[in-house]
Amino acid sequence: MKKMNIVLFGPPGAGKGTQSKFLMERYGLEHLSTGDLLRAEIHAETPLGLQAQELMSAGELVPDDVVVGMIRNRLQDNPKSKGFIFDGFPRTRAQAEALDATLVKLGSGITVMLALEVEEEELVKRLLGRGATSGRPDDKSEEVVRKRIREYENKTAPLKEYYEGQGKLRRINGMGSIADITARLMKAIDG
Ligand code: AMP
């Protein structure tokens, strides 16, 4: 059977992590979040984690080769999976091109990009709310939260055009209840 590879896209606070869990269960996919992988490296105090930590706490992107290397390893280690949900990756044009090249080598490709769209003030509210309980230092300061949103707009949002050019972009309204947003995502995948 053909693999299903989904890029779950959107700004920080769009609900990518939350929605990934529902999509994983429904479609039997593996979840790959570069943010989670980087936080695990920080927790384990690896050299890579130490390198990433400063950039992450400033709300800046870590270098492309770091995240591309992590994703490549995961893809190669899971050849039997039904497919992947990419959450928080790719975030730059170079990452998107590297992902396409890796998937082509594995005889596969991106099926669809689901781009969650949420108003900026709602994102700030959600992230600062999450910061109160998540223990994520980058969710605690409004300055860092806004910096992450700027990084998204400058470096990441243009990827919508990259996937649109491949006919793979689906824009999803990311405002409203979690259940409504899940339903919109599943409709886009099934349709
Ligand atoms: P996230 O958990 O996706 O919000 O990511 C948290 C932080 O990890 C980001 O603000 C970046 O500093 C870093 N990060 C995660 N994924 C990437 C990526 N694909 N490219 C560059 N930096 C990333």
Side-chain angles (χ1 to χ4, degrees):
M1 219 187 83
K2 203 158 173 280
K3 291 185 199 272
M4 173 150 67
N5 293 309
I6 297 174
V7 175
L8 189 54
F9 194 78
K16 301 185 296 294
T18 301
Q19 297 295 341
S20 287
K21 294 201 189 80
F22 299 119
L23 300 183
M24 272 172 78
E25 277 172 24
R26 164 78 186 262
Y27 300 99
L29 305 175
E30 310 275 337
H31 179 215
L32 280 183
S33 154
T34 40
D36 287 351
L37 295 172
L38 289 166
R39 281 184 289 276
E41 298 279 344
I42 291 175
H43 186 74
E45 298 181 10
T46 65
L48 194 156
L50 293 174
Q51 188 198 341
Q53 187 165 28
E54 208 174 313
L55 290 164
M56 288 171 74
S57 55
E60 290 169 29
L61 297 186
V62 307
D64 289 330
D65 55 341
V66 170
V67 285
V68 166
M70 292 194 316
I71 289 285
R72 241 181 225 145
N73 290 339
R74 297 292 157 139
L75 292 177
Q76 283 159 358
D77 291 349
N78 289 282
K80 294 218 172 79
S81 93
K82 284 189 181 174
F84 296 88
I85 300 174
F86 298 97
D87 162 3
F89 180 90
R91 265 177 156 98
T92 64
R93 173 85 183 217
Q95 292 178 23
E97 287 172 353
L99 177 59
D100 276 347
T102 303
L103 288 172
V104 165
K105 267 189 214 142
L106 298 170
S108 164
I110 293 298
T111 312
V112 68
M113 177 212 235
L114 303 171
L116 289 166
E117 300 188 321
V118 179
E119 291 159 15
E120 171 151 356
E121 292 316 304
E122 171 71 12
L123 296 173
V124 173
K125 201 174 88 190
R126 287 186 192 173
L127 289 166
L128 293 175
R130 181 170 83 183
T133 53
S134 70
R136 274 184 60 168
D138 59 346
D139 284 344
K140 287 205 163 74
S141 121
E142 179 164 348
E143 191 193 332
V144 173
V145 160
R146 291 201 187 266
K147 171 74 188 175
R148 285 157 62 203
I149 296 172
R150 292 284 85 74
E151 286 277 90
Y152 169 80
E153 281 172 356
N154 293 333
K155 299 178 183 165
T156 307
L159 289 181
K160 287 192 212 178
E161 285 155 34
Y162 178 81
Y163 287 98
E164 191 168 30
Q166 298 185 0
K168 292 175 181 168
L169 168 67
R170 301 287 178 278
R171 294 175 192 272
I172 309 289
N173 175 4
M175 302 285 288
S177 77
I178 291 176
D180 284 349
I181 299 164
T182 307
R184 288 177 203 139
L185 290 166
M186 290 181 177
K187 199 172 153 204
I189 294 170
D190 297 336

